[in-house]
Amino acid sequence: MPNNQDSPATPAAAPTLMAAEIAEQPAALEATLAALLPLRSRIAQVAAGRRRLLLVARGSSDNAAIYGRYLAELHAGMAATLAAPSVATLYDAHIDLSDTVAICVSQSGSTAEIVDTLEWSKRGGAATIAITNAEGSPLATAADLALITQAGVERAVPATKTYTTQVAALAVTVDALAASAGKAGALDAEFARIGEQASAMLETPAEVLDAMAGALAEVDEVLTSGRGLAFGTTLETALKLEETCLRPVRGLSYADLKHGPIAIVDHELLTVLVAGPSGPTLPGLTELAGTVREKHSMVLGIGGDERFRAACDLAVPGPDASEMLAPLTLIIPAQLTVERLAHKLGLDPDAPRGLRKVTQTD
């Protein structure tokens, strides 16, 4: 692993909207937390008497929701699941959701499928919370409580600051629900440091990011893997590589990877491993780094501890944070790498081929 230097992680070519919006994340996260942390008592009131969470999202928002699921079960002790919106929008299934809080996540608040699923959840008896960047949007208007992230206008198609502020909003929501488990205020000191942690991630050494982007540019096959609280970050890393750099990428839990797909790992495939700074998943990811290197796959690492990073060919540290809240900023080195990779491939990271800012599905 290259030695850390003090050179900041600035864009490798002409400035892009994506690069500018990545750089806005410390302020966006601080503003979002300042706006939402005072609403924890209202969140708890909406969820009073409910025992389950149903998380409704698509795309990057779905990756944020995966983090929310893990955090809800580990921090708040509430069973949580990811919705299949087609159950509502295509099948119109009749389900008793009277013990459920439906948390619907959409950057624009205008994706009809998510709005329709929120309305379906209400008909089933669920309490509803919207997480969106758009105050007054259909999703915000329809929900019992709207949590408005403070990312500001995001003009690049790939979600960066809207993704991290959604993750922050989910962390606040779950923390509010954890109060009933005697954990009120347990994360407050760390919430106060999120902006500082995001700024530190923006200072990831440029030469390491350039080396990682260069390695990715040399291959056509990429695998991302992680587990636990950082698994949503793993899938978001895969999505950013796919949508921004037109690379087919498979994102897998390392548990699923070991159940067969590891057979495809060889010298023609590059592996990206994403790890939290500590916790029970870290030893397995460190072992996995050694396993795939033995199969001659180059390994890029994001996060983890020193031992994890030493097991990778190239690696960057994650935030100085707990495993619980590291995902609020852990994606930033991946965002910076993807923006560089797009330049190396001659692509426009602001406007990936065939994509729009708001995606409508049925």
Side-chain angles (χ1 to χ4, degrees), residues 204-343:
T204 302
E207 60 271 20
V208 185
L209 295 171
D210 286 335
M212 292 173 72
L216 285 161
E218 295 298 317
V219 298
D220 293 322
E221 300 177 47
V222 179
L223 168 73
T224 68
S225 189
R227 200 174 183 187
L229 285 153
F231 186 51
T233 311
T234 302
L235 298 181
E236 178 64 9
T237 299
L239 178 59
K240 284 291 161 284
L241 286 165
E242 288 181 321
E243 68 181 1
T244 310
C245 299
L246 310 183
R247 283 290 198 262
V249 184
R250 192 169 187 186
L252 290 173
S253 159
Y254 76 66
D256 289 327
L257 177 61
K258 289 181 177 180
H259 278 81
I262 198 164
I264 69 170
V265 175
D266 59 20
H267 68 282
E268 295 182 344
L269 179 144
L270 184 146
T271 302
V272 180
L273 301 181
V274 182
S278 59
T281 68
L282 186 53
L285 281 164
T286 303
E287 179 185 353
L288 180 61
T291 299
V292 296
R293 287 183 76 186
E294 288 173 2
K295 292 176 173 289
H296 308 293
S297 172
M298 187 174 189
V299 181
L300 309 185
I302 298 173
D305 59 7
E306 290 185 5
R307 186 174 173 218
F308 167 78
R309 293 190 291 274
C312 301
D313 293 293
L314 290 167
V316 293
D320 178 19
S322 70
E323 184 188 17
M324 291 282 188
L325 293 189
L328 275 67
T329 56
L330 182 60
I331 190 62
I332 292 175
Q335 294 171 342
L336 292 165
T337 301
V338 166
E339 199 269 345
R340 282 168 159 69
L341 176 59
H343 284 299

Side-chain angles (χ1 to χ4, degrees), residues 44 71-78 174-186:
L71 190 68
E73 296 187 342
L74 294 171
H75 182 49
M78 290 185 71
V174 173
D175 193 50
L177 303 179
S180 62
K183 297 180 181 178

Side-chain angles (χ1 to χ4, degrees), residues 61-239:
S61 300
D62 199 41
N63 296 332
I66 288 170
Y67 162 72
R69 176 190 178 182
Y70 278 98
L71 190 68
E73 296 187 342
L74 294 171
H75 182 49
M78 290 185 71
T81 190
L82 302 178
S86 62
V87 169
T89 61
L90 298 181
Y91 293 98
D92 193 23
H94 299 286
I95 300 176
D96 181 359
L97 298 175
S98 57
D99 66 346
T100 300
V101 181
I103 302 176
C104 301
V105 190
S106 168
Q107 176 265 321
S108 68
S110 297
T111 299
E113 181 187 34
I114 306 303
V115 178
D116 290 348
T117 303
L118 183 144
E119 296 281 13
W120 169 86
S121 300
K122 291 176 77 171
R123 292 194 298 272
T128 57
I129 295 175
I131 294 177
T132 178
N133 195 44
E135 188 170 9
S137 63
L139 189 70
T141 302
D144 295 324
L145 176 63
L147 303 180
I148 309 301
T149 58
Q150 303 296 309
V153 176
E154 186 174 65
R155 292 177 291 167
V157 170
T160 54
K161 60 180 181 173
T162 55
Y163 171 77
T164 51
T165 53
Q166 284 177 345
V167 174
L170 284 160
V172 171
T173 302
V174 173
D175 193 50
L177 303 179
S180 62
K183 297 180 181 178
L187 299 178
D188 283 1
E190 193 167 359
F191 277 132
R193 297 181 55 238
I194 294 300
E196 169 192 328
Q197 291 166 1
S199 294
M201 290 296 90
L202 292 174
E203 296 299 318
T204 302
E207 60 271 20
V208 185
L209 295 171
D210 286 335
M212 292 173 72
L216 285 161
E218 295 298 317
V219 298
D220 293 322
E221 300 177 47
V222 179
L223 168 73
T224 68
S225 189
R227 200 174 183 187
L229 285 153
F231 186 51
T233 311
T234 302
L235 298 181
E236 178 64 9
T237 299
L239 178 59

